[in-house]
């Protein structure tokens, strides 16, 4: 471990012997650049790696790997996704693009890149329905040693993703439950504009959090995850005999967030879900506030619906606790502003004692420090504080909207594509719900003021946040044993390579290897 640094990609000795030591400028760029750098590909026009590419099967584990790439009108991105699959040190044995109701050149481009294309048949159940159609045919012909990788069509894999994920999947530790899936650590690209940088800062912090948890995953993300074939078959059987609350196939078509629901299903069947810090992918960011709003609304609404379907269990308890903390944070801002406004009007501005300023400073410093592996732009954005505070309030509105939709049993959809009357009705319900929630928080604040405990509650919340920030800075995870299944994840020697090779390094490697 002494030769590795956790804040940038580190070449292997074999790669160093091929390309030589990176220059000082390249090292500086890798250390201070974005967390995920789109890799230069040196491939044939069919998307296959050039002669001289040799998979390292020693790292792959036993069995075959079949990659499924669900796609709906993805001609702009599917090429790079398939190129990243072809450039793996351990390529998939079979690549299948699941073309779902495509009206563009997705199927043609996929075929040109050497992938097998399977078109969905009369599918009305979005991504989950299309994948179920393919898995129904695929799983019966796979052995228990085989694995299925499912990845989004806007994802670019780091070169060793499959090799590392396959190795982790087949590492079974004595006394621990079997691994039901290996998920990705994801970063965003391309980084264009404020909204994209704000999202990427979130992803960088989440990657740091997973490292602190030693890879324990809350969700096997849809960006890219590797599942054992026997685990997926187990889920299918469990749905058929009603061991799981919903669904008939591998994926629950009623869920807005099918990857989150599949993670809960695997955990309820006794599997562990992990996201090793070495399994890195880049995923497309939402370029506009509108698209980001609908994406996050779907994520949060789907998470709440899944928890409601499963109910309170040992598996869902930590998820419900995190949701409770999320909504406590949502309520804190109007609660604090109400208390501060009341005392400012009645007794004058109370000021900010040095103690509370320093306590708040700990949390602010942790947010900046946690974003440092996103590059210098991420650091500046985090240090500015105000943009991220406003972004947090934007997310708070999304969380409140999702809760209102659940409480009012509003139809869950991927996008708001209803007619004008239905959109106006939903807007009215949302507005009334937000007003009622805000009124409830303000009323609670005045009740606490009357009881003389308002500032005490605020102090408890601030101190708890500062303590959590200090724990995150220490990289400890004291709740790991309490909130996870039987035992903690072993401490592997893998240190997260936060960066892919820069374009210049990749180009030199390709030229020396294939030249």
């Amino acid at each position: 471990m002494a030769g590795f640094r956790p804040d940038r990609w580190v070449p292997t000795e074999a790669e160093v012997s091929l390309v030589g030591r990176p220059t000082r400028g390249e090292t500086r760029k890798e250390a201070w650049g974005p967390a995920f750098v789109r890799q230069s590909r040196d491939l044939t026009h069919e998307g296959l790696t050039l002669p001289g590419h040799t998979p390292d099967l020693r790292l792959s584990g036993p069995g075959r790997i079949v990659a499924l790439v669900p796609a709906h009108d993805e001609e702009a991105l599917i090429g790079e996704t398939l190129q990243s699959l072809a450039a793996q040190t351990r390529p998939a044995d079979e690549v299948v693009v699941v073309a779902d109701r495509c009206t563009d050149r997705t199927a043609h481009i996929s075929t040109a890149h050497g992938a097998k294309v399977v078109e969905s048949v009369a599918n009305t159940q979005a991504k989950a329905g299309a994948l179920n159609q393919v898995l129904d045919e695929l799983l019966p012909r796979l052995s228990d040693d085989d694995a299925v990788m499912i990845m989004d069509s806007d994802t670019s894999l780091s070169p060793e993703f499959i090799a590392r994920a396959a190795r982790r999947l087949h590492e079974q530790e004595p006394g621990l439950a079997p691994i039901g899936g290996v998920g990705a650590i994801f970063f965003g690209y391309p980084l264009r504009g404020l909204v994209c940088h704000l999202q990427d800062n979130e992803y960088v912090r989440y990657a740091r959090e997973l490292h602190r948890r030693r890879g324990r995953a809350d969700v096997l993300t849809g960006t890219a995850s590797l599942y054992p074939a026997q685990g997926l078959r187990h889920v299918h059987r469990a749905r058929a005999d009603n061991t799981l609350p919903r669904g008939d196939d591998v994926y629950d078509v009623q869920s807005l967030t099918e990857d989150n629901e599949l993670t809960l299903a695997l955990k309820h069947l006794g599997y562990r879900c992990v996201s090793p810090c070495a399994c890195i992918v880049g995923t497309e960011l939402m370029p506009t506030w509108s698209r980001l709003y609908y994406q996050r609304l779907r994520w949060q609404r789907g998470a709440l619906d899944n928890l409601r379907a499963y109910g309170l269990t040992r598996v869902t308890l930590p998820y419900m606790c995190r949701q409770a903390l999320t909504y406590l944070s949502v309520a804190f801002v109007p609660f604090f502003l109400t208390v501060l406004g009341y005392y400012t009007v009645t007794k004058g501005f109370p000021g900010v004692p040095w103690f509370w300023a320093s306590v708040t400073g700990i949390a602010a410093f942790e947010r900046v420090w946690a974003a440092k592996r996103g590059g210098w732009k991420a650091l500046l954005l985090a240090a500015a504080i105000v943009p991220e505070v406003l972004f947090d309030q934007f997310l708070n509105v999304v969380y409140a909207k999702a809760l209102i939709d659940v409480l009012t049993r509003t139809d869950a959809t991927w996008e708001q594509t209803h007619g004008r009357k239905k959109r106006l009705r939903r807007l009215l319900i949302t507005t009334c719900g937000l007003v009622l929630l805000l009124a409830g928080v303000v009323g609670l604040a005045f009740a606490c003021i009357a009881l003389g405990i308002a500032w005490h509650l605020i102090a408890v919340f601030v101190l708890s946040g500062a303590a959590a920030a200090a724990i995150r800075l220490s990289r400890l995870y004291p709740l790991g044993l309490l909130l996870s299944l039987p035992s903690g994840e072993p401490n592997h020697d893998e240190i997260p390579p936060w960066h892919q090779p820069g374009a210049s390094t990749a180009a030199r490697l390709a030229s020396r290897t294939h030249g």
Side-chain angles (χ1 to χ4, degrees):
M1 292 177 59
F4 290 83
R5 287 181 54 192
D7 58 344
R8 67 180 183 91
W9 170 79
V10 179
T12 64
E13 289 301 320
E15 290 167 333
V16 169
S17 65
L18 284 172
V19 304
R21 297 288 175 182
T23 65
R24 182 176 301 177
E26 289 172 343
T27 301
R28 188 182 304 113
K29 185 175 181 179
E30 289 171 0
W32 293 100
F36 184 88
V37 179
R38 182 179 294 186
Q39 177 134 357
S40 294
R41 309 289 182 193
D42 192 6
L43 310 173
T44 65
H45 68 279
E46 293 89 359
L48 303 177
T49 48
L50 291 172
H53 174 78
T54 304
D56 189 352
L57 298 181
R58 295 171 301 172
L59 302 178
S60 65
R64 299 174 66 250
I65 294 176
V66 179
L68 300 183
V69 185
H72 172 66
D73 290 344
E74 296 286 358
E75 64 178 5
L77 300 170
I78 193 68
E80 184 173 356
T81 298
L82 295 175
Q83 286 179 356
S84 73
L85 270 168
Q88 292 295 293
T89 57
R90 194 294 189 199
D93 298 279
E94 185 178 0
V95 177
V96 180
V97 173
V98 186
D100 182 32
R101 299 167 293 125
C102 292
T103 59
D104 63 359
R105 300 173 59 249
T106 297
H108 174 75
I109 294 173
S110 301
T111 302
H113 280 77
K116 176 182 177 182
V117 176
V118 176
E119 302 208 12
S120 61
V121 179
N123 177 44
T124 59
Q125 297 169 328
K127 173 183 172 182
L131 284 172
N132 282 337
Q133 290 184 8
V134 176
L135 289 170
D136 285 344
E137 299 293 330
L138 175 65
L139 289 179
R141 64 181 177 88
L142 296 180
S143 73
D144 285 348
D145 284 335
D146 295 337
V148 178
M149 190 178 79
I150 301 174
M151 63 178 294
D152 287 342
S153 54
D154 59 358
T155 295
S156 182
L157 303 174
S158 55
E160 294 186 350
F161 181 91
I162 293 181
R164 291 178 179 272
R167 183 179 64 183
R168 187 70 188 92
L169 185 64
H170 292 285
E171 288 177 346
Q172 300 297 338
E173 295 81 9
L176 294 181
I179 295 176
V182 180
I185 301 290
F186 51 94
F187 297 106
Y189 76 93
L191 294 176
R192 299 171 183 165
L194 178 62
V195 64
C196 290
H197 281 280
L198 289 168
Q199 293 170 75
D200 192 57
N201 273 17
E202 272 191 304
Y203 296 167
V204 170
R205 292 189 179 101
Y206 181 63
R208 178 183 173 85
E209 180 68 8
L210 283 174
H211 186 215
R212 191 170 66 91
R213 297 183 193 176
R214 295 183 181 176
R216 297 183 187 92
D218 291 335
V219 178
L220 293 172
T221 172
T223 54
S225 292
L226 187 69
Y227 303 93
Q230 60 179 334
L232 295 180
R233 281 196 287 263
H234 192 180
V235 171
H236 197 173
R237 292 194 304 270
R239 296 198 196 280
D241 60 21
N242 296 321
T243 303
L244 297 173
R246 291 192 318 199
D248 300 314
D249 294 295
V250 173
Y251 280 101
D252 176 18
V253 296
Q254 299 179 53
S255 176
L256 282 175
T257 49
E258 67 285 331
D259 48 355
N260 173 269
E261 196 280 336
L262 181 58
T263 305
L264 291 177
L266 288 166
K267 289 188 174 183
H268 274 90
L269 296 177
Y271 293 95
R272 286 181 296 142
C273 299
V274 299
S275 291
C277 293
C279 293
I280 294 176
V281 304
T283 186
E284 184 189 24
L285 296 167
M286 294 296 102
T288 65
W289 291 102
S290 175
R291 290 184 60 183
L292 178 62
Y293 172 82
Y294 286 117
Q295 180 200 58
R296 297 308 175 88
L297 180 60
R298 179 171 63 86
W299 287 1
Q300 182 64 10
R301 173 68 190 272
L304 294 177
D305 282 341
N306 291 338
L307 291 178
R308 183 174 62 177
Y310 278 85
L312 181 61
T313 67
R314 183 180 179 183
V315 171
T316 59
L317 176 60
Y319 290 86
M320 291 184 175
C321 290
R322 293 186 189 101
Q323 290 293 342
L325 290 175
T326 295
Y327 283 101
L328 185 62
S329 299
V330 171
F332 174 77
V333 174
F335 183 93
F336 172 76
L337 292 178
T338 299
V339 174
L340 180 63
Y342 173 82
Y343 279 98
T344 299
V345 171
T346 58
K347 300 181 181 180
F349 183 68
V352 183
W354 68 268
F355 174 77
W356 292 109
S358 59
V359 167
T360 306
I362 294 174
F365 173 77
E366 188 275 332
R367 284 183 64 88
V368 176
W369 184 258
K372 66 185 175 68
R373 293 190 176 97
W376 65 270
K377 291 182 180 179
L379 270 176
L380 289 181
L381 182 60
I385 297 178
V386 174
E388 290 199 327
V389 169
L390 295 177
F391 181 64
D392 288 343
Q393 304 319 304
F394 167 82
L395 295 180
N396 285 347
V397 172
V398 173
Y399 299 149
K401 160 67 173 170
L403 180 61
I404 292 168
D405 286 350
V406 170
L407 295 177
T408 58
R409 298 186 179 275
T410 302
D411 293 339
T413 57
W414 285 65
E415 297 273 351
Q416 283 199 332
T417 56
H418 300 290
R420 181 179 178 183
K421 289 184 178 180
K422 185 165 286 190
R423 288 201 303 270
L424 290 175
R425 179 175 174 272
R426 291 170 70 116
L427 179 61
L428 179 61
I429 292 174
T430 299
T431 302
C432 292
L434 289 174
V435 170
L436 289 175
L437 288 177
L438 182 61
V441 174
V442 172
L444 177 64
F446 277 108
C448 292
I449 291 172
L451 294 173
I453 60 172
W455 286 116
H456 296 84
L457 292 178
I458 292 173
V460 169
F461 187 91
V462 173
L463 288 173
S464 299
I471 291 173
R472 288 194 294 269
L473 282 171
S474 70
R475 293 193 176 185
L476 296 176
Y477 188 51
L479 296 182
L481 297 178
L482 179 63
L483 297 181
S484 64
L485 290 174
S487 179
E489 194 75 10
N491 188 12
H492 292 273
D493 290 336
E494 292 180 347
I495 300 296
W498 299 95
H499 295 262
Q500 283 197 48
S504 58
T505 304
R508 286 195 299 144
L509 177 60
S511 64
R512 297 278 185 99
T513 304
H514 308 307

